[in-house]
Amino acid sequence: MSKAEFAIIGTGEVPCGIYPARSEFEIAYRVSKMAIEDAGIDKNKIGAALTAVHIMGSEYNTEMFFGRLPEAIGANNCRVVATTVSGGGSSFSIRKTAEGILSSGEAEYVLVVHAQRFSQFTPNEQAVFFAHAGADLEWEVPYGMTYNALAAMMTQGYMEYTGTTIEQVASVCVACRKWANLQENAMFRDKQLTLEEVLKSRTVAYPLTAMMCNVLCDGGSAYIMTTAENARKVCKRPVYILGEASDYSHRTITKSKMKDLGRMHEFYTPVAQRAYQAAGLGPKDMDIFQVYGAYPFANLMFLDAMGIVEPGRAGELVESGETSPGGKYPASTNGEALSFGHTGTGVGFSCFVESVRQLQGKAGRAQVEGAKFLIEDCGGGAFMDVHFTIMGNEDPNL
Amino acid sequence: MSMKETLKEKLGLTDKDFEKPLPKPTAWSKPFWDGANQGKLLLKRCKDCGHIDHPPYLFCTACSSEECEWIEASGKATLYAYAVNSYGVPFPFVEDLPYVLAMIDLPEGPRMISNVVQCDPEGLKNGMQLEVVFERASEEITLPKWRPVKGQAINLEAVRTINGEGNDQNL
Ligand SMILES: [Zn+2]
């Protein structure tokens, strides 16, 4: 463990949902401005502007590759532009890129942006795209493989081999919805959800019902990152990156390093532990467990790895209500993909900026009182990788 | 009216929108697909270290050797986990709904994604014994699929043990 090197000093976010008239450019410019204002810095101090790609590809990507953002927001002293992407793991890989740029001394402040507008594509285009994101074109797609089917068979195996019940899986959706009901920017901020509604909704891919699957939507967020040393000077309540750890498993799910769906924690737990060790903290120190799983079984699978329950028992924990608002182990405090909204690579970003807001005391009605430390995760593809991050509003190693 | 005809009418689709995506064999996977066309399930085995790669790649993923041979698999397998697609699939598959996708474990080592066919989805059980069947999809492509072996007893504990012991075989 060593003292934190980097910190976040401001965030911006627009409401998540179906907003066809709001372009991804408008989202990117808007969240940039919000993050700069929230950080309280001059826009001309931004030295690098990083964007994550719009995952289904569009003119937006080309424009961001070729430096549209600094020009559009008037970041006149920006020296570096780059696009970094690794699917759902992008919020992590882009942050590592930002850290490298800050370490090089080329920039004092890095602006990191994600914007997405899925509503420009038809449901079939989305289904085809996500089938290809999660499945192999030669070996799986010809069999009618879809992303929902991938998650469904993993759910089926996870339940069978850990003894988790379908009610426990469904309870993740309910807990996420309770958090989303407290979030201004959540897609489902105004809609309540009961366990019965989750279980009784139409079967999409057995054992998954429609309410256990994600709705692709539009949204975006941004944040400003600087060195921890500088953050202490310019920000009243910076959020420090205290520990990080990653691992890669596979591209094709059949090549997963851990073949036993009842023992996935044996792959994930050591990674979480490395992140805890880097921070010099443990599960007991965490005030929030910012899980990004997208599908409910994956939310449980990552909770299993975070050290608060015996692996395989996360379903009981969520079912008990302890991860819901007011519970002992607040988890996924923005409702994550299931209830905040699925913006492709953006889910990791929305969970990350929510983490920053919580630790800055700016989480509004969803605020976990006195939150000081948290753990968050992200990963992409067909569960290709995992990244755990420990964050805090104080540095225990200083 | 069939689902396909309804979709064509409602969304202005053509037959092309319903053409199934088929594998485009690579230089290193062509023997697999040639084998499937002849009703054989082939696996790529490294001549230097014996490692079996599925999916196959350009060279052995264990030792990087380019010397390989194609062996015929037993055609038997175990159902590890499954899903039943029921709604919201790409157009070419709507007429197949509901259909089963599964993780299938071969005794030779690899795990495959494929369909379990000729079965009642509600009768599927993890640990079930399967046997390969070949379905011709086009002039060039035949897809190996699986069906339950008739009259079997299922031992789920054995599946757990096999997977526990074999966990690092593909590392
Ligand atoms: Zn070899």
Side-chain angles (χ1 to χ4, degrees):
Chain A
M1 78 194 91
S2 53
K3 64 179 185 171
E5 289 181 76
F6 308 101
I8 313 302
I9 57 170
T11 63
E13 185 178 68
V14 292
C16 205
I18 308 294
Y19 299 96
R22 185 183 69 182
S23 77
E24 48 276 42
F25 294 94
E26 183 182 341
I27 297 171
Y29 304 158
R30 180 67 58 205
V31 295
S32 296
K33 188 179 178 190
M34 291 164 84
I36 291 165
E37 281 172 6
D38 187 47
I41 58 163
D42 183 331
K43 66 180 169 60
N44 291 323
K45 287 200 164 172
I46 300 293
L50 306 183
T51 48
V53 302
H54 190 295
I55 199 170
M56 275 179 77
S58 68
E59 179 196 344
Y60 173 82
N61 291 347
T62 316
E63 285 297 318
M64 293 301 142
F65 298 158
F66 297 128
R68 176 66 67 192
L69 187 61
E71 179 180 304
I73 64 169
N76 297 321
N77 296 316
C78 182
R79 295 175 182 172
V80 183
V81 290
T83 295
T84 305
V85 72
S86 53
S90 299
S91 60
F92 186 85
S93 53
I94 206 166
R95 204 169 73 232
K96 297 304 281 185
T97 308
E99 291 176 7
I101 293 168
L102 288 167
S103 295
S104 76
E106 204 57 45
E108 201 178 2
Y109 297 95
V110 180
L111 166 67
V112 178
V113 175
H114 174 266
Q116 185 82 40
R117 183 168 54 108
F118 274 120
S119 64
Q120 65 191 300
F121 304 104
T122 66
N124 188 62
E125 284 170 333
Q126 295 176 6
V128 169
F129 175 82
F130 268 80
H132 300 179
D136 188 290
L137 278 174
E138 182 173 6
W139 304 100
E140 299 175 7
V141 169
Y143 293 98
M145 184 74 162
T146 56
Y147 208 105
N148 285 337
L150 168 72
M153 64 176 75
M154 291 184 79
T155 303
Q156 198 272 337
Y158 178 85
M159 285 166 50
E160 177 86 40
Y161 300 116
T162 63
T164 298
T165 67
I166 194 71
E167 288 77 14
Q168 289 168 348
V169 171
S171 69
V172 174
C173 306
V174 177
C176 282
R177 184 59 60 89
K178 285 182 180 162
W179 282 109
N181 290 155
L182 303 174
Q183 292 280 355
E184 278 175 32
N185 290 335
M187 183 175 190
F188 296 104
R189 55 191 169 270
D190 300 322
K191 264 201 185 134
Q192 312 250 311
L193 186 66
T194 66
L195 195 69
E196 198 177 30
E197 284 167 338
V198 179
L199 294 168
K200 294 247 166 95
S201 62
R202 140 186 247 163
T203 300
V204 169
Y206 172 86
L208 296 185
T209 65
M211 290 296 174
M212 297 174 188
C213 299
N214 297 277
V215 180
L216 296 171
C217 60
D218 313 332
S221 54
Y223 62 86
I224 308 286
M225 188 159 161
T226 185
T227 61
E229 201 184 340
N230 189 46
R232 276 187 282 275
K233 289 183 213 150
V234 302
C235 181
K236 260 190 231 144
R237 204 166 185 185
V239 173
Y240 302 100
I241 305 299
L242 301 175
E244 300 170 309
S246 301
D247 206 352
Y248 165 83
S249 173
H250 59 270
R251 162 63 174 141
T252 319
I253 190 64
T254 54
K255 297 281 281 181
S256 173
K257 281 183 181 169
M258 175 49 68
K259 306 214 102 174
D260 185 341
L261 287 168
R263 290 165 48 202
M264 294 305 283
H265 59 273
E266 289 178 23
F267 177 73
Y268 295 121
T269 302
V271 189
Q273 281 173 348
R274 278 198 288 121
Y276 280 132
Q277 279 157 15
L281 296 168
K284 286 196 177 72
D285 301 308
M286 298 298 112
D287 299 300
I288 295 170
F289 299 82
Q290 204 67 277
V291 184
Y292 159 28
Y295 287 89
F297 92 93
N299 188 295
L300 297 177
M301 192 168 74
F302 292 118
L303 258 180
D304 279 337
M306 289 180 172
I308 39 173
V309 288
E310 196 186 311
R313 301 277 78 85
E316 286 170 27
L317 179 74
V318 176
E319 194 176 38
S320 76
E322 290 291 4
T323 62
S324 296
K328 199 172 160 201
Y329 303 100
S332 308
T333 60
N334 69 348
E336 73 135 321
L338 287 156
S339 270
F340 186 83
H342 197 307
T343 51
T345 50
V347 183
F349 287 82
S350 62
C351 292
F352 183 75
V353 298
E354 164 64 7
S355 297
V356 175
R357 281 194 303 257
Q358 285 283 356
L359 296 173
Q360 288 195 313
K362 296 177 180 175
R365 289 195 297 147
Q367 184 66 47
V368 174
E369 279 317 310
K372 198 156 48 159
F373 301 116
L374 62 79
I375 180 169
E376 63 121 51
D377 74 271
C378 66
F383 303 92
M384 70 169 179
D385 60 358
V386 70
H387 312 278
F388 287 101
T389 304
I390 312 294
M391 299 158 68
N393 54 26
E394 65 179 56
D395 182 353
N397 303 310
L398 198 62
Chain B
M1 202 158 45
S2 74
M3 181 70 109
K4 182 176 164 183
E5 293 307 316
T6 312
L7 281 168
K8 278 168 86 172
E9 200 179 289
K10 256 174 92 177
L11 301 172
L13 304 177
T14 65
D15 283 336
K16 203 168 171 14
D17 294 306
F18 292 88
E19 278 173 18
K20 288 223 158 82
L22 292 177
K24 294 186 184 71
T26 56
W28 52 89
S29 69
K30 195 170 177 298
F32 178 93
W33 298 111
D34 288 345
N37 277 334
Q38 295 161 24
K40 287 180 185 167
L41 184 68
L42 300 184
L43 296 170
K44 188 184 180 191
R45 183 167 70 186
C46 174
K47 274 188 173 175
D48 284 322
C49 78
H51 180 77
I52 292 174
D53 267 312
H54 187 86
Y57 282 104
L58 182 59
F59 42 81
C60 172
T61 63
C63 77
S64 307
S65 167
E66 306 215 3
E67 299 298 318
C68 72
E69 58 190 345
W70 288 83
I71 58 160
E72 187 169 356
S74 62
K76 301 280 184 242
T78 307
L79 177 63
Y80 181 68
Y82 67 94
V84 188
N85 261 1
S86 308
Y87 180 75
V89 298
F91 295 137
F93 295 95
V94 289
E95 296 233 285
D96 299 341
L97 291 173
Y99 60 91
V100 177
L101 284 152
M103 291 185 184
I104 290 154
D105 285 347
L106 273 59
E108 292 82 5
R111 174 173 286 177
M112 289 180 177
I113 296 290
S114 184
N115 300 126
V116 180
V117 295
Q118 301 172 36
C119 68
D120 169 12
E122 293 191 10
L124 292 175
K125 291 266 184 302
N126 299 32
M128 205 172 214
Q129 296 305 299
L130 306 170
E131 59 192 10
V132 72
V133 291
F134 293 91
E135 280 189 11
R136 187 160 278 276
S138 73
E139 283 280 295
E140 297 81 27
I141 294 293
T142 299
L143 297 174
K145 298 187 176 182
W146 301 81
R147 71 175 173 211
V149 171
K150 286 210 177 88
Q152 56 179 302
I154 295 148
N155 183 348
L156 191 60
E157 220 29 65
V159 185
R160 287 206 172 104
T161 321
I162 290 162
N163 276 290
E165 285 167 358
N167 241 328
D168 53 359
Q169 66 198 358
N170 270 342
L171 280 182

